[in-house]
Amino acid sequence: METMNPTRDFASTPSTLKKAFSALLALLLVAGVFFVVPLSVSAENTGDWSWYYVDKNGQMVWPDFGFDENNGLSETYDFSKVVGVAIDEYTGAATSVTTPATLGGYPVQVIGFGAFADNITIKSVKISEGVKTIEFFAFVDCVSLTSVTLPSSLRSIEASAFSNCAALKTVTLPKDISKISDPFGYEYGKYPTLVCYANSPVHKWIVAQNNKYDWDKNIPYRVYAETIKLPATKNIGVGKTATLTITVTPKDAIAQTLTWSSSNKAIATVDATGKIKGIKAGTVTITAETYSKKEVASCKVTVKAASTVKFDAQSGTKVANKSIAYDTAVGTLTTPKRTGYKFAGWYTAKTGGTKITSKTKVTKATTYYAHWTANKYAVTFNANGGSAVKAKSISYNTAVGALPTPTRKGYKLVGWYTKKSGGTKIAKTQKITKATTYYAHWAKK
């Protein structure tokens, strides 16, 4: 990068200087004196534009001058050297200007020294594609200029090209500029915010300038995103919203200028911030595109309808199904009832599985299963005169199991009965459904 800060005499505009030098040259030619001056002294005119020929290096192609008594001063060009033209001066009064792509049959490649200098009328200018260079003081003192659009073909901007353009707040710089020489003339006014590509020559120049000089304020700038990335897929429910998270490189790049679009707005919409909304079931592609349209990222979004959630009470009281929107919590869970059992919760499988809560989110048709814990009941054994017997704790609807065999002197155990006298004799298969006492019956030996 090259940095230059040429001095400037503000008493004379560049265009005025060129006219003065042209007149001086004409006088010198008449007097037979020939020399070269470093300014354009011969320009063609097309409407509001005056221009001159340039060679492959963007330098002025000088004419061969002649003079005779009948025709006066004459100019002859070697057109084998001409590859384009430079705008020498704009003389119009429009507030919005687009520079012509061609003049005199040749492409415009240069915005010349002081071409728009001191134009206090112009507010916006769009420089046509094909222009490679903006020369010194090209737009100096264009105090009303608020917008300038630079072409992708631009390769260099010379010192103070936009100096003292105080109304110019933001300038977007093309990616491939390779030479920039303090074009906004820091000493003449406040810098606009420069928008450039990360790690481009312009970006490196700005960083170097900010590190090198002790400015009152650094040159303000923002960088374009080098890459943008969206998640490959995203699922949302009908009527639900979600914001797509986009990864931008570098992290401080301009991301807020992305353009978002949906391939089918009847299925899902997306706003300027990347917030999507499901409209109806289906699949769409959501696309994010940078301002330069050079970086594009997309995400396949599936909008899912509500799902039916079934509840299998597993012998408990019946529980109604629910319709739950995609990725929405199941909500309040009903507590069923079952005789002899305590409800243990709803699970994802008949046995085992994972216990759910009211906050569990539903993403597909699902059945949840009630799990139960059997109540336990005390079963006591009254030996009815025999030796003492320990009580048992038996789960609901479970067999009592092996029956105790107490002893009683002079008696033989007949069995265990539901009553102290009489009643029904029980076996080890007797099911327990409540707290119970069984009684030993005896017969004399």
Side-chain angles (χ1 to χ4, degrees), residues 29 57 79 109 144 151 193 211 293 309 367 376 384 407 409:
L29 286 171
N57 296 315
F79 284 99
Q109 296 185 345
S144 299
T193 296
N211 290 336
K293 301 187 183 299
V309 176
T367 299
K376 286 186 176 291
N384 206 10
T407 59
K409 189 175 181 178

Side-chain angles (χ1 to χ4, degrees), residues 257-261 287-291 293:
T257 53
L258 295 174
T259 299
W260 295 85
S261 62
T287 300
E289 188 175 58
T290 60
Y291 30 74
K293 301 187 183 299

